[in-house]
Each structure stands twice: as C-alpha cells, then as structure tokens.
Amino acid sequence: MSETLTTKRGPKAPSRAAVRYVLRRLGQAVLVMLLVVIGSFVLVKMSPGDFVDTLAGTSEMTADQMASLRARYGLDQPVPVQLLYYMARLVTLDFGFSPANNAPVIDVIAKRWPVTAILVIASVSISMVVGTLLGVMAARNAGKPVDLGLSVLMLVFYATPSFIIAVLMILIFSVKMNVLPIAGFASIGMGYTGWDYFKDVAWHLVMPVSALCTFYIAIYGRIGRAAMLEVMKLDFIRTARGKGLRERRVIYVHALRNALLPLVTMAGLQVSALVGGAVLIETIFGLNGMGRTAFDAVFQRDTNLLLGVVFISSLCVVVVNFGIDLLYMLLDPRVEVK
Amino acid sequence: MKAPSFTLGRRAFIASLAASTALPMASLPSRLLAQEAKAGGMLRTVAWPAPTVLNSAISTAGTESFIAPKMFDGLLAYDTGLVPRGQLAESWDIAEDGLTVTFKLRDGVKWHDGTAFTAKDVAFTFMEVLKVIHGRGKATFAALEAVDTPDDLTAVFRLTTPSPAMMRALDSRESPILPAHIYEGTDIQANPANTAPIGTGPFKMAEYEVGSYIVLVKNPDYWDAGLPLLDRIIIQFVADAATRASMLEAGQIDGVFLNMLPAPEILRLDALPDFERDTKGYEAMPSAQQLDFNLDNEYLADIRVRHAIAHAIDTDWITQNIWYGLGAPGKSPLHVDQKEYYTTDGVPSYDYDLEKAKALLDEAGFAPAANGMRFSLMLDPSPWGTESIGAAPYIKEQLRQIGIDVTIRTQDFAVFTTTVWTERKGDLVLYTVNLGVDPVIGTQRFYWSKSYNPGVAFSNGAHYVNPQVDALLEAAQVELDPAKRKAQYAEFQQIVMADLPVLPITNIFGANIVNVKVKDTTIDALGALGGFSRAWIDA
C-alpha cells in the first residue's frame, strides 16, 4: 500500500485523483478476492480425499452410502464444474451448505464470526494502547533503568509463543487459583443477558485475549519507542518546547501523533494476522471462532465452509487495509493519494 | 507446635478426610457403602470432535454415539456381561428356528413432543433407517426382512436367517428408536430433527450451539419413574486434550469419558484424591490397535515375512509404553473383553525374537543387501489419537533391526483413509478401531473376503481371502447355539492368527476419569455410551 502514497505539500481536497484511487483499490480488492476463492478451492480439491471420505472414516459406511452422499453434496461432479457452480452461487452471496456442521455455511459463519471479531478487536486495541504507552514510557526514559526494564519485559513478551503464555495462564489462574474459566465464550445455560452477559464474556476472554496480546504489546512497544525517539529529535518538537508547552502535551499530542504512523501500519498487519491466525488460541480455549473453523474445515474437507471462511476473512482484511490507508490521511495531512 | 491442618489445601483436606474414614468403613459389607442416590444437579463434561448430527442412527461417529443415547432409547439395554434387559421392549421372544423375534413394547411411553410411542416407530426405524443409513446397520440387520406390527405394542421381526449378532445390537447407541411421525416421508438425512432430536430418552435437548456445546435437560415424563436423577447435562466441544485435562483438574467439568484424555493424563489425575478412573462399561465398544499387512505387496504376501514382522514387534512394549498399560497385548483378532468368544487355546502366538525373525526372512529368500537392508515398506499410522503415531517409530526401529527399511508416512485423516483404503497404497497400516459388540459387527469386516472393498474405510484392507475363514464367519453369523458359535470363533482365531493378515497390537482398555462426586455413570455394558439415567452428583 505504501507505494501508492506520496508525501506532497499543498491543499488537501477530495479530488478526482482520490476517487480514482478508491476505484482502483476496489478493483484490486475484487481481483484479490477472486484469486483467493479460486486458489483455495483448487488447493483443497488437490488434496486427496473429500468430505465423504472423512465422514466414512469416523462413521463406517458402505460404498453405496458413500456414493449417495457424494451425489447429495455434488462431489461426484468434475472439479471445474464444482468450481463454476460455487462461483455462480457466490455471486448471489450463497455460500452453500456445510455438511460437517449440517447447517448452511452462512449460519455457521454468523455464529463464529463474532467470537473472532471480539478477540481481534480486544487484542488489537489492548495491545496497541498498552504497547504504545510502554513504548512512550521507554522513550522518555531512554537509557535509564526504566527503559532497560521495559526492554527486557518486551523481549520476553516478544520471544514467548502465545500458546506457552496460554498454558501458563491456565495453570496459574485456573488449575491453581481457580478464578478464570478455561474454555468457552460464555457460561453455558446460565441465561445471562445485558450487562451480566457482557461481564461473563469478558471474564471468559481474559486469558485468550491476554495470550494474543503479549507478542503485539512487545511489537508496539518497540516500534513506538523507536518512532518516538526519532520524532523527538525533530525541529517541531523543539519549537513546541520553545513555545513553553508542557512536556506532557509535547509528548502525547505533538510527538505521539507523528509517531503513530508505523503503529497504525502494524495494527493493519495485526488484524490480518489474527483473523485467521488465532487457531491455536481458539483451540486451547475451546473458542469456536473463524480460525478454528477454517482449521477443522480443512481437515474435514468441508470445502464450502472453508471457502466461506476464507472469503469473509479476506474481505475483512481487504477492508481493514483500505481503512488503514484512509486513517493515514487523517493522521498525517502530508500523506495524500497520487 | 503449630496445627498443620490449617495450612492444608483443599485437596489435601479432602484426602485426609477420606483417609480418616476409610479404615472403619472398610470392614462394612459393601452394600452398606452404596450411598443413597440424590436427584438434582448438573453434570458438565466435554466431547470432541463436535458432532455433525445428534442422532446415532444417522452417524455412528464417536461424539454422536456419546450424546444421542442420552436422548434416545433402544429396544434393549445390556447389563454387565451383555445380558439383555428390556428398555423400550418389555419382553421378547425368539422363535425356536430363530427366524422370528417378537417384542412386546412398553406401554405409556411418550416421545419428547408428547406423541405416543408405538410399534410403528420400531418398524420404521429398523426398515427405513437402520437398515439403510446406519453405517454398521446394513450388515447387522442384513437378515432382517420385515417388521410386522400386529398391534401398537407388538413388533415382530421376521428374519431370513437366524441372527445372534442382531440381538446384541438393539441398545440405544447402536439402534436408537426414532419417531416415525417426525421422519416418515421425509429425506431422513436432511431432517431438521437430526439436530433437534425428539426421542423417548431420559434427557431432552434444551440448547445446542453448533460446534460449541449442547445442554440437555431432564425429561420429566420419562417412562422409568423417578429417573433420570440429573437435572441437566452440559457437554462442551473442546478440541485440545490438555485443555480438557485442565478443565477437569480446575473443577470446571465433572468428568471426561471414553478416553478423551491421553493415557498419561488419565493416570496423573487418577493419582489425585479428587478424581477416580473407571474402566468398566466398555464391553459394548471393545477397541484395539492393529497392524494390517497389505497382502497385495510382494513381500507381505509371503507368510514368513508376516511372521518375521510379528516376531520383531514386542506388543507388550507398545502396550506398556505407548498405552501406558491401559490395555493388553493383542493375541487374537478378538478383544480380550469379548469373553464369550476370546481364546488363546491353540492360537498361534509370536514371541519377541529378532533372531527367529531374521531366520524367517532368510528362509523366505530376502537376503540383506550391502547396507543390511532386505527390502523397504511404507508404514501408515492413523492420525487420530496419538498412539499410532507414537508407536510407528518403535516399529520402524524394530524392523530396521531385522533388515526391513520402513518409511513412516503421517497424513491427515482424509488422506490417510484415501491412500490406505481407496488407493490401496499402504503396505503396513497401524490404526485403532472399534471391534464391535459382536464379532459379526466389528471384527468380521477385516477378515471376510466379501468385505474387501476399495473405497470403504476399515474394510478388509489386507485383502485377505481364505474360503475356510469365510465359511466359519458366515456360519457363525447365523449360529444360534452358543457352544457351536464359540467353537466356530475359536477356529477362526486359530486360523487367522496363523495366516496373520492382521497383527493385533493392543487391546485397548477404555477409561473414564471423573470427579469423585460423580456417581453411577457406568451402570451397564454400555457405560458412558448409555443414557446416564442413573448418574447423580454427590454434592
């Protein structure tokens, strides 16, 4: 995305250039989505075995029963025909049926999407806020013991895989102290609503969100520290100080705003990584999100479901990246579209 | 001196209580020990993988088999030792020629939607569902020609040949009775009731979140007065075995059934005072680890090679180290728990002896090349569980020592079943499998020439053809005289252990691990696969 952006002085006005840019990005997005759909379909179809094979493996079946199931799900058709059917349905936003869940793909995704969305939103915002604050704190104290301590902490966060953190937290907070629930998105069968439900879900997500956060806290911290140190050397900071502004205002308004650009870029990457990459955390904490769904769909050869998840996730990544580019323009008026 | 009891943790405290009461109680007769069952309470447990449907007539997969019997009843239940007892059938009568079985059905049974249960439901279930859709049903009920319903409470099974195996397969897991008024005239596999079950069983479905959890609540109108005892059962679908163990240890669930924890975790938790292990209630699903020899392979076609491999693999080592002792070394195609038919009398066995193995390979004419290897084979371990993948390197090393170069191929589930059974590209196939409640249902498929069927998983993958074995299996299928049937299966065991198309590795012992407050989850041969109608919580 960065090559489409240039820095240029001059008045900022919604121009034809901006409209053209948006249209071009949309065209690119459609192309990306098309490649994603065809690519994932072909990849899944290339691997041996289909859904009926996996079903037959867990539930003994005769050859007739397998053939009739293949016919039921259209798996007896040639692969190009299956792909055409699939794309034709996709145009009408029909994602097909997930045999493994015995439900329409759209229903499955509708149930699981919020789990991942909440995980992603919570971990991105928490890690960004906490990481940035730690980075600023380190930058303000550059070279002092606070900076050193934070560097060590961030190195540990950076180097420890999220699943190790997850397992350690389970051992400490659930097995030993018995305060946090291990698995699930909410207490089952309690019928909580409103604020109680919110608290219940939050309580269930403390460990998974923390496990997803630590690595990114370290990243934001390190990037934030470096960017702050860079910005603090610039002339306008000296000017701000010269004007007699309070240090807090200099740091958090003048400097931080300018140091935010690399952090926003990182947030875009984090969203993309988490949408599909939370498989491990979703597995450990028994959360039924998009990552786990995609993972299971691959192993069950549940093509419709996998493609549905990939489609929605890619769409989300494309949209988020687009939003990040717009955010760039807001944060730094010098950044303008070509 | 400081009183140590104040610093004791919760577990240690319970342990000390147990220790202080154990001695006086040990001298009491056991029936006084049996506590009064309490009604009420909730049982929380886990399962994996998440079910596709909630009906074990449509899918015989593991989770379906665990959940569905809580909501459905069968005609019969089986006490320990597989002694039949009435469930939806109050009594039954087998004609002398074995060709008709008359079931008198229980009066006053209601489906969860309030409709009356009748013989029509029984006829419909067997003829339209179990014989057609159920994975094993087609074989189990092959002899069942028709079900007559002279009145609402009588179902007469008409058979073309006697079928002793059928009488073993009438429980709530294997043959749940479905409501005809819901299913009749519909596309059975697509019926919405498959995920919103209407049964006659002790529990009704209250809440189901596909892929996440299911909540079952007590059926207040259950025919067995006073049962079930539990108010609720909550089953969460949790993918990670370590998570399941942590949930149990943290008290967030009350029990893990059907070996859903790895053996070391079961043994570790069992050693803690809060938990106990239960290995009963697995008669209806004896399972085993076995090694198929693909007889279409030029080397494995030679019986001396198969015998050599059997001598090179120490099945006791695998049982102790891979299964952590939760099993017995395999000595027969049947499971040691299939007590009626299992025998080692006159059955060839293969002691662990590398020299004998090498001599057999020499005799077969496969001399070692310069690198010490005689020939190469592919070994496919099954990807479910960890035990087959764990045992594969041991087998590779053992066979290397006798000059067979083994390559281990680990694959995902779909690829494994496709390569092995559809494409038949496997040489040695190591997997765990359910041996069924009767040899006809579980074991026969691996040895019967007619079940050689590429494309069908867990069929005769060895491609074993022995007319004598076929004749024995087919005779035992219809033999009503227990003594004769026993003799037939004894001869079968002797022959196939000599021919060795399949090397039995370990007879697996099933295990549940539950919190000590959970009582009576195993009351009969079906164990945790039953309805949990008498399970209760001592809270």
Side-chain angles (χ1 to χ4, degrees), chain A residues 49 54 57-61 64-66 72 99-100 102 111-112 178 180 182-183 188-189 284 288 292 299 301, chain B residues 48 52 60 132-136 187 209-213 215 232 236 243 250 252 412-415 418 455-456 458:
Chain A
T54 65
T58 50
S59 173
E60 299 103 294
M61 271 192 222
D64 298 350
Q65 288 166 340
M66 288 171 73
R72 173 184 292 266
N102 198 30
K111 286 276 187 202
R112 303 188 182 179
N178 206 1
L180 287 175
I182 300 172
I188 299 164
I284 292 175
N288 223 346
R292 183 71 218 180
F299 282 94
R301 300 291 187 270
Chain B
W48 187 258
T52 300
T60 58
V132 185
I133 296 167
H134 188 281
R136 294 179 286 259
D187 177 351
E209 182 83 44
V210 176
S212 297
Y213 64 85
V215 180
R232 278 208 275 193
Q236 257 179 293
T243 303
Q252 297 180 6
D412 83 357
F413 192 91
V415 186
T418 311
V456 177
F458 311 110

Side-chain angles (χ1 to χ4, degrees), chain A residues 86-159:
Chain A
Y86 184 76
M87 308 243 309
R89 279 189 283 122
L90 210 53
V91 172
T92 62
L93 284 182
D94 174 4
F95 291 93
F97 190 79
S98 159
N101 289 283
N102 198 30
V105 167
I106 200 73
D107 291 357
V108 177
I109 291 178
K111 286 276 187 202
R112 303 188 182 179
W113 174 242
V115 175
T116 301
I118 292 172
L119 267 185
V120 169
I121 291 168
S123 26
V124 171
S125 41
I126 291 173
S127 52
M128 197 166 169
V129 169
V130 173
T132 306
L133 288 178
L134 291 180
V136 171
M137 206 192 288
R140 287 183 70 178
N141 297 288
K144 293 183 197 154
V146 176
D147 182 28
L148 190 71
L150 285 173
S151 292
V152 170
L153 181 73
M154 283 181 219
L155 194 66
V156 171
F157 277 7
Y158 183 77

Side-chain angles (χ1 to χ4, degrees), chain B residues 96 180 220 232 234 264 272 292 311 330 362 433 443 469 499 521:
Chain B
E96 215 151 287
R232 278 208 275 193
I234 292 177
L272 299 176
D292 280 7
H311 280 298
D362 289 338
V433 77
T443 312
V469 166
D499 284 352
T521 49

Side-chain angles (χ1 to χ4, degrees), chain B residues 18 43 57 157 180 185 232 250 298 311 334 340 363 379 441 469 508 527 537:
Chain B
L43 176 71
F157 283 36
R232 278 208 275 193
E298 54 172 319
H311 280 298
L334 300 183
E340 266 171 296
E363 192 191 317
L379 170 63
I441 299 167
V469 166
I508 304 161
I537 305 276

Side-chain angles (χ1 to χ4, degrees), chain B residues 88-117:
Chain B
L88 286 179
E90 251 177 342
S91 66
W92 58 99
D93 177 55
I94 306 175
E96 215 151 287
D97 60 3
L99 296 179
T100 45
V101 186
T102 308
F103 292 94
K104 284 282 170 210
L105 305 179
R106 199 173 290 282
D107 197 5
V109 177
K110 295 250 182 297
W111 291 102
H112 291 167
D113 65 0
T115 313
F117 158 75

Side-chain angles (χ1 to χ4, degrees), chain B residues 73-275:
Chain B
D73 288 324
L75 286 178
L76 303 180
Y78 300 91
D79 284 327
T80 310
L82 294 172
V83 180
R85 151 169 65 87
Q87 197 167 48
L88 286 179
E90 251 177 342
S91 66
W92 58 99
D93 177 55
I94 306 175
E96 215 151 287
D97 60 3
L99 296 179
T100 45
V101 186
T102 308
F103 292 94
K104 284 282 170 210
L105 305 179
R106 199 173 290 282
D107 197 5
V109 177
K110 295 250 182 297
W111 291 102
H112 291 167
D113 65 0
T115 313
F117 158 75
T118 69
K120 193 182 165 201
D121 298 312
V122 176
F124 170 79
T125 301
F126 281 90
M127 299 312 294
E128 312 279 322
V129 185
L130 295 172
K131 260 183 83 86
V132 185
I133 296 167
H134 188 281
R136 294 179 286 259
K138 210 165 183 173
T140 312
F141 304 111
L144 181 61
E145 196 180 30
V147 178
D148 297 335
T149 52
D151 62 67
D152 272 0
L153 296 177
T154 309
V156 183
F157 283 36
R158 280 198 279 119
L159 307 173
T160 49
T161 58
S163 179
M166 184 187 90
M167 293 306 293
R168 284 288 166 81
L170 300 178
D171 60 68
S172 56
R173 172 199 58 148
E174 193 71 12
S175 306
I177 304 299
L178 305 187
H181 68 282
I182 300 286
Y183 280 95
E184 205 165 31
T186 69
D187 177 351
I188 291 165
Q189 271 159 311
N191 195 301
N194 292 335
T195 46
I198 292 165
T200 59
F203 294 92
K204 300 206 252 193
M205 190 179 86
E207 217 182 310
Y208 176 42
E209 182 83 44
V210 176
S212 297
Y213 64 85
I214 179 166
V215 180
L216 309 178
V217 294
K218 178 182 195 145
N219 172 8
D221 305 317
Y222 194 49
W223 55 264
D224 205 348
L227 297 181
L229 296 169
L230 292 168
D231 284 338
R232 278 208 275 193
I233 301 176
I234 292 177
I235 303 166
Q236 257 179 293
F237 310 127
V238 177
D240 187 54
T243 303
R244 300 196 278 266
S246 304
M247 289 172 82
L248 184 62
E249 197 173 359
Q252 297 180 6
I253 50 171
D254 309 305
V256 180
F257 301 92
L258 309 166
N259 292 55
M260 259 179 283
L261 290 186
E265 287 289 339
I266 292 179
L267 297 176
R268 180 179 72 82
L269 289 167
D270 187 29
L272 299 176
D274 278 6
F275 305 100

